[in-house]
Amino acid sequence: ETGVTQSPTHLIKTRGQQVTLRCSSQSGHNTVSWYQQALGQGPQFIFQYYREEENGRGNFPPRFSGLQFPNYSSELNVNALELDDSALYLCASSLRTGPSYEQYFGPGTRLTVT
Amino acid sequence: DQQVKQNSPSLSVQEGRISILNCDYTNSMFDYFLWYKKYPAEGPTFLISISSIKDKNEDGRFTVFLNKSAKHLSLHIVPSQPGDSAVYFCAAKRRDISGGSNYKLTFGKGTLLTVNP
C-alpha cells in the first residue's frame, strides 16, 4: 500500500509569483484535502476535493485553487504569492464512505516566500 | 475564533509514567474527534479517534476520554516511551447538517510532548 506523497519537498518563491504543489493520494482513497500549517500553529483547512470537484473550502482567498485528477492525485495552486503564504502545505487523503473520518497526511511541502 | 484549543504548548514526562494531553472545544456541532502525532519533517500521523456518542476509546497504550458536557477531551499514554516524543494535535470534525460528508478537520495548535529516559 502506497502512502500519501507530495512534491516538491521544499520550494522558495518570490512575492507575486505563482506556485503549484502536487499530491498523490494513498492507494484506494478518493478524497483529497489540503491544509496550511504556519509556524507554531495547527494545520488549517484550505479545501477538499472529491470526484474532481471542490467539496468544502476554508477561509482562504480565491488565489488558492486546486485540481483533482481521475487517478485522485491533486494539485494546489497559489497565485500572487504573499509573504504570509510561507508555511508547510499538507495534503491528506481519505475515503469518502465509511464510519472512519481519518485523514492520512503526506510529509508536506515547505514553501518559503521572499 | 479558535474552536479547538490545546492550552499547553509543551509537556515533559518521565519514561514509564502517564502522559495526559488535553484539548478543549467550543463548537457543539463537532461529532468526531481525532488525535494526530507529528514528528519533525513528517506529516501528522493518525493515532486514535472517538465519536461524540462515546466517552472512551482505547487502543493499546493510548486512551482518549471525551467529556461532552465540559467540551473537553484528553489523550492518555501509558506507559510513556521516549519514542512518543512528538507534537500531538487534537482535531475535530463538524457534523454536516446538509447530509453531505465534508471531512474538514479543525486542528488545535498542538502540544509538544517530551518523554525523558
Side-chain angles (χ1 to χ4, degrees), chain B residues 63-76:
Chain B
T63 303
V64 56
F65 295 93
L66 175 62
N67 182 334
K68 276 188 71 175
S69 60
K71 293 191 172 70
H72 176 84
L73 63 155
S74 60
L75 173 67
H76 292 211

Side-chain angles (χ1 to χ4, degrees), chain A residues 84-107:
Chain A
D84 283 350
D85 295 334
S86 295
L88 179 68
Y89 287 85
L90 294 162
C91 165
S93 72
S94 54
L95 267 176
R96 176 80 171 190
T97 57
S100 169
Y101 299 104
E102 301 156 21
Q103 295 187 4
Y104 295 84
F105 285 83

Side-chain angles (χ1 to χ4, degrees), chain A residues 18-57:
Chain A
Q18 178 266 342
V19 70
T20 298
L21 311 181
R22 294 178 174 82
C23 170
S24 290
S25 302
Q26 181 162 314
S27 176
H29 284 182
N30 55 15
T31 302
V32 174
S33 303
W34 285 91
Y35 291 82
Q36 180 196 67
Q37 186 181 8
L39 203 59
Q41 304 293 316
Q44 275 204 297
F45 178 75
I46 303 175
F47 43 55
Q48 183 180 91
Y49 277 81
Y50 171 66
R51 286 188 177 173
E52 302 173 51
E53 289 192 1
E54 188 179 289
N55 173 48
R57 188 177 185 94

Side-chain angles (χ1 to χ4, degrees), chain B residues 25-38:
Chain B
Y25 62 95
T26 57
N27 193 334
S28 58
M29 295 292 284
F30 287 143
D31 65 348
Y32 205 81
F33 301 90
L34 306 91
W35 284 93
Y36 282 83
K37 177 171 73 173
K38 188 179 185 302

